[in-house]
Amino acid sequence: MGAWESHRNSLVPRPRAQTMEHREGQGGAEDALLVRVGQKGSRAFEDLYDRYGGAVYSLAVKMLRDRRTAEEIAQEVFLAIWRGARDFDPARGSARSWILSLAHHKGVDAVRRQRLRTEESLSEAMTAETDVAEDALRGMTGTEVQNALALLSDGQREAIVFAYYGGYTQQEIAKRLRVPLGTVKTRMRDGMLRLRTALGPQAKGTDQ
Amino acid sequence: MTHDDLRYLLAAYALGALDPEDERAVEAHLATCADCRRDVAALRDAAASLATGVPAVEPPAALKTRIMRATELEARVEPPAPVTPLPQRRPRNWSLAVTALAATLAVVLGGLSLSLNRRVATLTNQVNSFSDRLAVQEQVLALLASPSARTASLRGAVRASVRFVYDPLRRQGVLVVSDLTDPGAAFVYQLWLITRQTPESAGVFKPVVGRSIIVPVQADFLRYQAIAISVERGPKGAPAPSAPPILLATL
């Protein structure tokens, strides 16, 4: 597996050099931690909160733009981690990815509920956000993510940022940007493949 | 949708940007397609990086307190580990383990006392419902009244009162446990019936501090030479013993 990985890596050019040892050391420890949470280890759970509480809360603040709601969502996320950690399978992805996609999923649900509650029409909601894409980019602190997003075309970046931070579906984005759905799909896919190459520390698949 | 159509949607899936119908279609496909699962894992990693790119906001300390309290509460109301026989049986030579019992005694005991934690207090609440207990107690009485019933006291690494009352003719038995320490939140006691060399699981249980518990067992006891208990990972126990038995009795 190790040999196979390095062979693959040499075929896929990467902007940054990464060592497998570093990745596996860090990721493996977190995977083990999440497995212990799955066995209802309360100390492991506290440890996990100390590592991810900030990231989960910050993402919720970014998506919901309201600290009170973000707290509720973060609590919901950690309860879901506590209840669902036994389903985590390290063979199918890293703990980091599992936790953050769970957090994102809850964030998307919440932001969609929020929009329904405020009864804004789609166009109003999107106008009110001025330019989510620009806003998201301005707020970025991780230069790594910022650099990666800067590699994308404007259309790709817009589609990804609206989807990920705004919680909008492909259909909603197509409507808002007045472009065909197929175009949004293509931008999202091509943009994510680029992001994956630039960012994904565990990128393993092949670009086709 | 074809495989290629679905594969084209994976990026949007990782971004959470599919409507519910497409999302269900992708999930159904992922269940059967290893290639797409691998792609999704990589795309999710990239999406997860987007999560870490947002401005860091320090969560209030009260949030952590609330979350920790909520999970603690949930652990308290969780039902006790059910007594479930394990269908999977893997033969393994256990005689070595039995002879090594004395040597590993100290280790096991150390582990037990180490893992005695605050759950002890909450465990006392996690008791079988009253009606269940009555039914089981009736079963015990019926067993004791039976002329063909026998009793075995389990002995070994720990000081505990654990007796096995069984009736080979009716193929019914009960394990009566008192004074057994809490194995810790992540562990359970697992009961094994042992043929010449192979232990077979007869279920798992958690003790209740300060009370006796009763574990019903149904088996053809004439087939077995011994009954034993080991500490295994909860909540379901192990397919085969991973540790030497702490208590043992011949049948």
mmCIF file of all heavy atoms in Angstrom, chain A residues 9 105 107-108 136 162 204:
data_model
loop_
_atom_site.group_PDB
_atom_site.id
_atom_site.type_symbol
_atom_site.label_atom_id
_atom_site.label_comp_id
_atom_site.label_asym_id
_atom_site.label_seq_id
_atom_site.Cartn_x
_atom_site.Cartn_y
_atom_site.Cartn_z
ATOM 1 N N ASN A 9 1.642 8.994 -6.151
ATOM 2 C CA ASN A 9 1.983 10.393 -5.909
ATOM 3 C C ASN A 9 2.945 10.927 -6.954
ATOM 4 O O ASN A 9 2.886 12.084 -7.337
ATOM 5 C CB ASN A 9 2.590 10.558 -4.510
ATOM 6 C CG ASN A 9 1.496 10.483 -3.444
ATOM 7 O OD1 ASN A 9 0.313 10.597 -3.787
ATOM 8 N ND2 ASN A 9 1.876 10.298 -2.213
ATOM 9 N N HIS A 105 -22.616 18.987 7.233
ATOM 10 C CA HIS A 105 -23.955 18.485 6.942
ATOM 11 C C HIS A 105 -24.997 19.135 7.864
ATOM 12 O O HIS A 105 -26.034 19.607 7.416
ATOM 13 C CB HIS A 105 -23.957 16.970 7.132
ATOM 14 C CG HIS A 105 -25.041 16.285 6.383
ATOM 15 N ND1 HIS A 105 -24.885 15.875 5.079
ATOM 16 C CD2 HIS A 105 -26.301 15.956 6.740
ATOM 17 C CE1 HIS A 105 -26.010 15.315 4.669
ATOM 18 N NE2 HIS A 105 -26.881 15.355 5.657
ATOM 19 N N GLY A 107 -24.625 21.906 9.418
ATOM 20 C CA GLY A 107 -24.651 23.325 9.086
ATOM 21 C C GLY A 107 -25.559 23.594 7.898
ATOM 22 O O GLY A 107 -26.340 24.558 7.901
ATOM 23 N N VAL A 108 -25.472 22.741 6.888
ATOM 24 C CA VAL A 108 -26.312 22.897 5.698
ATOM 25 C C VAL A 108 -27.789 22.762 6.083
ATOM 26 O O VAL A 108 -28.625 23.586 5.708
ATOM 27 C CB VAL A 108 -25.931 21.855 4.621
ATOM 28 C CG1 VAL A 108 -26.973 21.821 3.508
ATOM 29 C CG2 VAL A 108 -24.565 22.173 4.033
ATOM 30 N N ALA A 136 -16.558 35.232 1.484
ATOM 31 C CA ALA A 136 -15.910 34.032 2.012
ATOM 32 C C ALA A 136 -14.403 34.119 1.817
ATOM 33 O O ALA A 136 -13.619 33.799 2.700
ATOM 34 C CB ALA A 136 -16.460 32.794 1.317
ATOM 35 N N PHE A 162 -20.604 29.067 -2.810
ATOM 36 C CA PHE A 162 -22.047 29.126 -2.568
ATOM 37 C C PHE A 162 -22.549 27.806 -1.993
ATOM 38 O O PHE A 162 -23.367 27.781 -1.075
ATOM 39 C CB PHE A 162 -22.810 29.423 -3.870
ATOM 40 C CG PHE A 162 -23.033 30.887 -4.088
ATOM 41 C CD1 PHE A 162 -22.572 31.519 -5.233
ATOM 42 C CD2 PHE A 162 -23.721 31.638 -3.136
ATOM 43 C CE1 PHE A 162 -22.777 32.874 -5.429
ATOM 44 C CE2 PHE A 162 -23.929 32.998 -3.334
ATOM 45 C CZ PHE A 162 -23.450 33.616 -4.490
ATOM 46 N N LYS A 204 -6.535 10.179 -3.020
ATOM 47 C CA LYS A 204 -6.075 8.863 -3.457
ATOM 48 C C LYS A 204 -6.618 8.502 -4.828
ATOM 49 O O LYS A 204 -6.035 7.708 -5.531
ATOM 50 C CB LYS A 204 -6.535 7.784 -2.464
ATOM 51 C CG LYS A 204 -5.724 7.765 -1.208
ATOM 52 C CD LYS A 204 -6.281 6.715 -0.284
ATOM 53 C CE LYS A 204 -5.640 6.828 1.089
ATOM 54 N NZ LYS A 204 -6.547 6.680 2.158
#
